Amino acid sequence: MSPVPYCTKYSSAGTQKIHGIHSHQPCQPGDHRRFVPATLGGDMDDRIREHARILVDWSARIDAGDDVVVAVEDGAHDLAVAVAEQLGDRGANLLSTYQSDELTRAYLQAHDGSFTENPDYELALYERADSVLFLKGSRNTTETADVDSDQRQAYSTARQEIREARLDTDWVSTQHPTRAMAQQAGMAYAEYKDFVYDATLRDWEALADEQARLKEILDDGSEVRIVADGTDITLFIDGRIAVNSAASVAYDSHNLPSGEVFTAPHDTAGVVTFDVPMTIQGRRVKNVELTFKDGVVVDWSAEQGEAVIDEIIGTDSGSRQLGELGIGMNRGVDRVTDNILFDEKMGGTVHLALGRAYDACLPEGESGNDSAVHEDLITTMGEGSRLEVDGETIQRDGVFRWEDGFEG
Amino acid sequence: MSPVPYCTKYSSAGTQKIHGIHSHQPCQPGDHRRFVPATLGGDMDDRIREHARILVDWSARIDAGDDVVVAVEDGAHDLAVAVAEQLGDRGANLLSTYQSDELTRAYLQAHDGSFTENPDYELALYERADSVLFLKGSRNTTETADVDSDQRQAYSTARQEIREARLDTDWVSTQHPTRAMAQQAGMAYAEYKDFVYDATLRDWEALADEQARLKEILDDGSEVRIVADGTDITLFIDGRIAVNSAASVAYDSHNLPSGEVFTAPHDTAGVVTFDVPMTIQGRRVKNVELTFKDGVVVDWSAEQGEAVIDEIIGTDSGSRQLGELGIGMNRGVDRVTDNILFDEKMGGTVHLALGRAYDACLPEGESGNDSAVHEDLITTMGEGSRLEVDGETIQRDGVFRWEDGFEG
């Protein structure tokens, strides 16, 4: 069964409380755009309110009395209002911070570069916070283009403990659709909003169940073979643990939307072509081809942006090896929008990351691939492709074994 | 000499560093709108940048390494960018919070009213902050009109320690001009911006010096007599201390703009008519007349909003007495805009407050008038008016003794 959009049938008799959130009946794609929940008033796009509800309930699992920081990007005001409403309803505490690249640019360009390390007042805030909700919503995705990268790096380095304190909370990062993000995706604004909500307002519980199947297969499996146009690669994953990334802190998943299952290969052999174009460090990258032998990249090329790939691979010894195999399972993401939050979750794609492996994929005591980088690259599983685990076909032509239309 | 607008002659050879800020040559009213400082680039209204500079240097006295919270109202983005630039330049630390009445409304309307008392994470932030800069800039001054006042009160009560921690910092509150504020003032947006900057971008050092003269007169004086249309009232101030409110924490003054000298009378006799219309608790009040005997209001009336005055006077025993005599000295404020931050500072006005006296006006060990309220009411010192201290005329027809055009 294909994942279905998350319907807002608040008045449905079938609604019941499960795991602290309301479970709804599945419905058809697009349905959730037509529903106006009976109990909600006002002229707010109901999808914004539903986004906030999923964020607070499903993703962040906010309870009464929780100390919540809401980090509002300057284009995410409307989502912030909806989140404030949800937090009020749950009896959580609210402190909102203002995240604007225009402020950051002005501050960094004027500063002499000797930054205070982890200012005490900000550290104290995040050390005591239960949750941090990042509401992304840029008004210009290139706002910091003229900020010196050393300056940016120095600022970031001086704030490492603050960042770690933030990541120690039940944090969730999500995306409010803005005109700037639509532009980056090459889409009309209304079209982009439909895209974001199709990807975000899903039946996450059903997707988590579906992903659990794949996790089980990967946990039990030893060899994953990926065959696609320009790709025939085998990844060895025995002993590694797959993560069911279902857009909730309850699943160690901190992005909304999410929708992938990922693990950490310990060895790799073969060739892979990443046909999904991306922007890495501000530069376009297209059709990257990597050849692996004994787990290490031995040959590489790119139709565009090869210099970026050279830099990544040349970072350290770990950046020549894979840290992640991720399998996209979010059927709401139906196109590439040059935003990794969405692109790597796309149903019918697979991504591999050069560099660091995530600890969650490693058994107690085992260390995975280590590197200063973690760079995801994406392959479309199109016509003629297949994904095998220990010789068994799990996905063919981009369709999983348990989905309608699968032809074993 | 009349106070002069604050000119941004950055390249002037006459510029010199005094008390940590740059001192500039006086210039003519309106001049500062024509100058484009040679060292500043970008298309930002130079007045916004100058506003930020005065706020950071003159008002808040920010030093390198200071932990600064910038509280950004949702219409104050442009000022926030300029303040971020100034803080970066000073090497101060920046954390910005997002203040939006739309968030507050959504949160309060959804909350059941049992608020957590002084949430730990927010308290920790303000207890460690050196300065809090409130950048007011409402996009709708009536946004919380439909929030239940008991709910608002309960929220405020639950956060008293946080408020106190904030007021224990070197805080400053200032106003970025927005369309909503222009509308409240009954002005065009461009016209309102001119008004705000005329009031704010001043030579504060010169005004502080001028106000020091009046402070000395009041500190030495015993009886202040105010004579104006419908007003002949005497206030007894012997032993009380006048505050030179010069828009800087160095002067115990936390508003930008400011521009007043105020003290706390211990006795009052006579009649006063407040001709400046105001909005108090959402209700219009006009031409309030109060009669005092032995320090207490014995008779009162109002052409409009008398019920509000009844309520204020009936609050407690202290609300029938005066807590403040304030004398407006900001010549940049040349009209009433229904915003107490500006109205009470207007040069050529006097304001009296029913209720609580400020501690700063009281000698060590002496207690002033106590009340739950502090309500400022304003009188224009027009043609035929005079202000006397111990029988000597300090101001006539709204012109101070030391100003051009004074006719003793």
Side-chain angles (χ1 to χ4, degrees), chain B residues 90-104:
Chain B
R90 297 309 172 285
N93 304 317
L94 164 62
L95 182 150
S96 44
T97 63
Y98 190 49
Q99 309 297 321
S100 166
D101 281 346
E102 290 181 29
L103 266 71
T104 303

Side-chain angles (χ1 to χ4, degrees), chain B residues 123-287:
Chain B
L123 190 59
L125 170 71
Y126 289 111
E127 281 177 346
R128 285 160 181 77
D130 296 307
S131 297
V132 180
L133 308 181
F134 297 95
L135 312 187
K136 287 167 175 282
S138 176
R139 296 196 291 179
N140 172 8
T141 62
T142 59
E143 183 56 41
T144 57
D146 64 347
V147 177
D148 182 71
S149 64
D150 288 346
Q151 181 79 340
R152 222 182 303 189
Q153 189 53 51
Y155 183 62
S156 172
T157 302
R159 297 166 58 78
Q160 187 169 339
E161 280 180 47
I162 287 174
R163 203 163 41 249
E164 283 166 9
R166 231 158 29 197
L167 297 180
D168 273 349
T169 71
D170 280 343
W171 66 276
V172 179
S173 182
T174 196
Q175 175 73 56
H176 181 66
T178 62
R179 290 171 180 82
M181 296 305 298
Q183 179 174 320
Q184 178 161 306
M187 294 169 79
Y189 183 38
E191 183 188 19
Y192 184 68
K193 285 196 274 191
D194 289 348
F195 167 80
V196 167
Y197 294 123
D198 279 345
T200 306
L201 310 186
R202 304 200 71 73
D203 183 342
W204 287 105
E205 202 145 19
L207 185 51
D209 289 347
E210 187 192 346
Q211 292 185 168
R213 295 194 197 191
L214 182 58
K215 170 180 161 54
E216 204 183 322
I217 293 168
L218 293 175
D219 284 348
D220 294 344
S222 300
E223 290 182 28
V224 178
R225 185 174 170 207
I226 304 166
V227 179
D229 203 18
T231 298
D232 190 348
I233 191 169
T234 302
L235 304 106
F236 301 88
I237 59 164
D238 40 301
R240 297 296 166 93
I241 304 159
V243 171
N244 178 350
S245 180
S248 170
V249 296
Y251 288 84
D252 285 324
S253 172
H254 298 272
N255 290 335
L256 175 67
S258 186
E260 63 166 318
V261 176
F262 64 88
T263 187
H266 60 78
D267 199 1
T268 314
V271 178
V272 56
T273 301
F274 301 103
D275 62 317
V276 173
M278 297 180 67
T279 304
I280 301 178
Q281 296 161 24
R283 286 172 286 182
R284 292 294 284 174
V285 172
K286 211 168 132 184
N287 282 332

Side-chain angles (χ1 to χ4, degrees), chain B residues 35-100:
Chain B
F35 281 97
V36 178
T39 57
L40 299 178
D43 59 356
M44 185 187 281
D45 185 328
D46 289 313
R47 298 179 299 181
I48 300 177
R49 193 172 261 140
E50 183 62 8
H51 185 176
R53 205 188 60 72
I54 293 175
L55 175 67
V56 165
D57 280 351
W58 173 262
S59 297
R61 309 282 162 139
I62 302 296
D63 287 320
D66 279 357
D67 289 337
V68 183
V69 175
V70 179
V72 186
E73 273 204 352
D74 54 12
H77 172 84
D78 290 353
L79 179 58
V81 174
V83 168
E85 182 181 64
Q86 295 299 321
L87 294 178
D89 183 65
R90 297 309 172 285
N93 304 317
L94 164 62
L95 182 150
S96 44
T97 63
Y98 190 49
Q99 309 297 321
S100 166

Side-chain angles (χ1 to χ4, degrees), chain A residues 5-6 32-33 45 47-48 50-51 54 79 136-137 174-183 185 187-202 204 256-258 330-335 337 339 341-342:
Chain A
Y6 202 97
H32 60 286
R33 265 178 266 152
D45 184 328
R47 297 180 300 180
I48 300 177
E50 184 63 7
H51 185 177
I54 292 175
L79 179 57
K136 287 166 174 281
T174 196
Q175 175 73 56
H176 182 67
T178 63
R179 289 172 180 81
M181 296 305 297
Q183 180 175 320
M187 294 168 77
Y189 183 38
E191 184 189 17
Y192 184 68
K193 286 195 275 191
D194 288 348
F195 167 80
V196 167
Y197 293 122
D198 278 346
T200 307
L201 310 186
R202 303 200 71 73
W204 288 104
L256 176 66
S258 189
N330 187 332
R331 292 288 178 193
V333 182
D334 57 1
R335 57 194 291 174
T337 58
N339 180 346
L341 180 65
F342 294 88

Side-chain angles (χ1 to χ4, degrees), chain A residues 288-359:
Chain A
V288 177
E289 188 184 299
L290 305 178
T291 305
F292 287 87
K293 209 179 149 182
D294 297 330
V296 177
V297 177
V298 291
D299 195 19
W300 66 93
S301 67
E303 193 184 309
Q304 195 182 343
E306 194 169 299
V308 187
I309 302 300
D310 290 350
E311 284 170 31
I312 292 165
I313 290 176
T315 308
D316 48 38
S317 66
S319 65
R320 301 173 76 103
Q321 301 177 48
L322 292 182
E324 181 188 344
L325 154 67
I327 299 168
M329 298 190 65
N330 187 332
R331 292 288 178 193
V333 182
D334 57 1
R335 57 194 291 174
V336 174
T337 58
D338 200 13
N339 180 346
I340 193 69
L341 180 65
F342 294 88
D343 292 352
E344 66 168 14
K345 314 301 186 329
M346 184 161 37
T349 67
V350 163
H351 56 279
L352 305 179
L354 286 165
R356 189 172 51 82
Y358 291 115
D359 289 346

